[in-house]
Amino acid sequence: MNNDTSHINPLENEAIYIFREVAAQFEKPVLLFSGGKDSITLVRLAQKAFWPAKIPFPLMHIDTGHNFPETIAFRDRLVEELGLELIVRNVQDSIDQGKVKEESGKYSSRNSLQTTTLLDAIEEFKFDACIGGARRDEEKARAKERIFSVRDDFGQWDEKSQRPELFDMLNGQIELGQNVRVFPISNWTELDVWSYIEKEKIEIPSIYFAHKRKVFLRDGLIWSHSDYVFQEEDEEVLERMVRFRTVGDMSCTAAVFSEARDIESVVQEIRDSTISERGARIDDKRSEAAMEKRKQQGYF
Amino acid sequence: MGLLKIATAGSVDDGKSTLIGRLLYDTKSLTTDKLEAIEKTSKQKGYDYLDFSLATDGLVAEREQGITIDVAHIYFSTGTKSYVIADTPGHVEYTRNMVTGASTSQAAIILIDARKGVIEQTNRHFFINNLLRVKEVIVAVNKMDLVDFSEAIYNAIKANFEKLMDKRDYGDQKITFVPVSALKGDNVVHSSKNMPWYTGETVLEHLEGLDMAAVSNVGTPRFPVQYVVRPKTEEFHDFRGFAGKVYGGELNVGDEVVALPSHTRSKIKDIYFYDKKYQTASRRSSVTITLEDEINVSRGDMLVKVDDLPTVEKQFTATVSWMDSQQLTAGNKYVVQHGVNKVLAKVEAIHHKINPDYSGIDENVSALGMNDIAQVSFKLNKPIFYDKFKEHRTNGSFILIDPQSNNTVGAGFIG
C-alpha cells in the first residue's frame, strides 16, 4: 500500500477554512470534545487555524460517567497544556434530575442519553455553533450530513430540508434558538485521521494502543469488563491484548485484538483492516437506521 | 497521491448507486461488515444479486423508495488517489442537488441507460456540468448487459450525445465515453470480456490517470480575508494577520497587493501556515498573511495583486440556479454571499429563463421556481470584487440567502 499522505493537505486546508468560518460567523461556538482521536485532531486543526492566537472558543465534554479513565486523564492534561477552557456536563446529572432514564439490561448504554445533556448545555450557554468530529465515511446517515448542519430549537436534524452547500461557501445564518452543528473533518476518512495523527505526531490516549485488558466476548464483539458494562454470569472474563479503534462510552465501544503498540503499526493495521470503524460501535448495531434516528433527536 | 472529487449524474434507475457500489467493491473498499449487511439485505429483498446501491443510500426514506434523495458523500482510495464521490440524485426535482454536487467536483460521471439512450434528463445533466465548468466528464453508458453488449447501440448513443456537445457553452470540457455494466462489473474497474470491441480505459483507469493540476480550475490569485488574527499576547503584541484561503494562483512574500474595497496598497511581509513561515502561499492553502503597512483590512475584504484587479461593482448579471420553493421575482431582496463576503442584493430583472435541456430560452418570465435556471441582474448595497465565472470558478460564483428563512435559496454564476 501507498504511504503517501499528500492528499491530506487539501483536507487539512479545508478544515482550517471551516474553523475560521465558525469563529467569524458565530457568536458563541464550542468544540465538542470527547477525548477521542477525532476530537483531538480537531483541536490541532483549530490551533493551526488561529495561531498565534489561542483557540477562540471553549471545549465541552458531555461526560457519560462511563468513560475510560485513560481518556479523562488525557483530556485534562491536554486542556491544561494548551491553556484551553473546558466545560464538562454530566449525563449523571440529567439522570438525577429525572430528565432521562438509565437503560437497563444486557445492552444498556448511556450513549443516547447524552443527547439530553448536550441540548441542555447548548441552551445553558447559548451556544450557536457546536463543532464536532463526525466524518461522512463513518456511517450511512452521516454520509448525508452537511458541513454546516442547522438544528432547530429542539436540536433536531431534518434530513429532508438541508441547506445546499456550494463551492466553499458556508451559510451560517440562523434564527435565535437554532444552532449549527459543524463538521470540519467531514471529508476525512478514518485512515486520513490516523495518517494525520502520525504525520503531525499528535498525542492520543493510551487505549488506542495495544494493551492487556480484561474483556469478555459477546455477539462476536470484544467488550470491556467493567462495572459500567452489564455482563451475564456465563460470560467469561478473559485477559487479552487489545486496543480500541474508536472511543466512546465504555458500554458502547468494543475493542479489537491487536499487537499494535505504536502509531505506525496502528496506521498499518487500519490500512489492512477489512472491518469498518463503526463495526465496533455497539450502538449502531441496534437497527439499520440507528444513527439517523439519534440524529433526528439531536444527537451530535 | 491526490484528492479527486467526483459528482455523479443520471436519471432514476440509471444505476448511479450501483456504479459507486461497484467501484467500492472492485477496489476492495467495502469492509466485511458493510458487505455482509449488503448481502443480508439483498437476500431479504429477494434479489439474486448484490444490491450495491445499499452501500450508498443512507436514509430510511431512500431505502424505502429505493431512490437517492440527497447528496451522499462516498470515499475510497486506491494506491494512486483518494476519491470523494458526491452521489447526487437523478430526479428532476433534485436538480439543485446536482448543481450542489457538481460545484465542488473536478470530474463528473454522467450515466446513460443503454436501453433508453440520450433522454431529456441526460441533456440536463450535461448542461449542468457544462454550466459549472466541470473539466472532466465521463459518460458511462450503463446496463450494456441488457442490450447484449451491442457495439452498434453504444455507438448510436455516443453519436447522439456528441450532438449535444455542439450546443455547449464551455468547450474546454474533456468528454470520455465508456460502455459499462455496473451490475456485472464490466469496464468499471476491470476491463470487460463481454465487450472486446471496446479498447479504451475503464472508468477507474481513466480517473486514476487524470492529472490533478489539469482538472483544477486555476485563475488569478484572490485572497478573501476570512478572519483577522490578533493574539494580543506579549510575544505577538502587534501581530495582525489576515487569515484566508488562496484561490487561483499563488502569492509570494514581497508581492505588492491591493486591499479591496479600500484600494489601499501594501506588500506581503510574511506568510504563515501555523507556526512556520513560507515564501509562497499556494493555491487552496489556508494561510495567514501579514502586511508591511498598518492598513485597515477586515473580514470580507480581499487582497489581490496590484496588476491583476477583479471587477469592483455594485451590480452584476448572473446565471442563477434557483433552489427554493418560494419563487424569485423582480424586486425581491436577498443576501448575496460571495466567498466570505455578504452584501444585500435586490433583484433588478429576470432577463430570460434557460431551458437546461438545451432547447432554448424563455423570454417572458416573471418568476423563478425551484430548479429553474435564468439570467438575473442584481443591484447591491455594497460593491463586491468579482471575476467572471468562466475565468474564475471561485470568485465568479455566489449563493443567495433568503433573509427571512436564512436558507440558501440559489446559486449564481457571474456572466
Side-chain angles (χ1 to χ4, degrees), chain A residues 70-93:
Chain A
E70 295 93 327
T71 315
I72 299 298
F74 180 89
R75 173 195 80 185
D76 294 340
R77 209 173 63 235
L78 181 84
V79 165
E80 204 189 309
E81 273 175 21
L82 300 183
L84 301 171
E85 184 193 342
L86 174 73
I87 297 165
V88 180
R89 283 295 174 270
N90 297 296
V91 171
Q92 186 62 52
D93 293 338

Side-chain angles (χ1 to χ4, degrees), chain B residues 4-22:
Chain B
L4 184 71
K5 294 187 176 179
I6 309 165
T8 60
S11 298
V12 186
D13 292 333
D14 278 353
K16 286 185 304 298
S17 302
T18 309
L19 179 85
I20 294 170
R22 171 60 69 181

Side-chain angles (χ1 to χ4, degrees), chain A residues 113-151:
Chain A
L113 306 187
Q114 287 180 85
T115 303
T116 302
T117 318
L118 170 66
L119 296 181
D120 283 351
I122 291 171
E123 209 168 303
E124 178 188 350
F125 292 98
K126 306 270 183 289
F127 290 130
D128 51 5
C130 304
I131 306 155
R135 308 185 319 267
R136 288 169 177 156
D137 79 319
E138 276 180 86
E139 209 270 345
K140 285 183 288 194
R142 292 268 204 232
K144 306 272 170 174
E145 183 74 86
R146 297 290 187 266
I147 291 171
F148 271 20
S149 184
V150 180
R151 305 299 170 99

Side-chain angles (χ1 to χ4, degrees), chain B residues 222 260 309-313 315 383-388 395:
Chain B
R222 301 292 181 230
L260 300 171
L309 299 182
T311 308
V312 183
E313 264 293 354
Q315 55 197 15
I384 59 164
F385 341 107
Y386 67 85
D387 296 286
K388 286 185 174 164
N395 203 37

Side-chain angles (χ1 to χ4, degrees), chain A residues 4 6 144 168 187 274 276, chain B residues 1 32-33 62 75 247 286:
Chain A
D4 180 1
S6 62
K144 306 272 170 174
D168 267 1
N187 285 327
T274 61
S276 79
Chain B
M1 186 153 135
T32 313
D33 54 321
E62 291 177 325
Y75 302 81
Y247 294 99
S286 290

Side-chain angles (χ1 to χ4, degrees), chain B residues 332-352:
Chain B
N332 282 10
K333 286 187 181 135
Y334 299 101
V335 174
V336 162
Q337 184 172 343
H338 171 245
V340 300
N341 192 15
K342 279 181 186 172
V343 295
L344 269 177
K346 190 172 155 191
V347 177
E348 286 272 280
I350 302 171
H351 299 291
H352 56 255

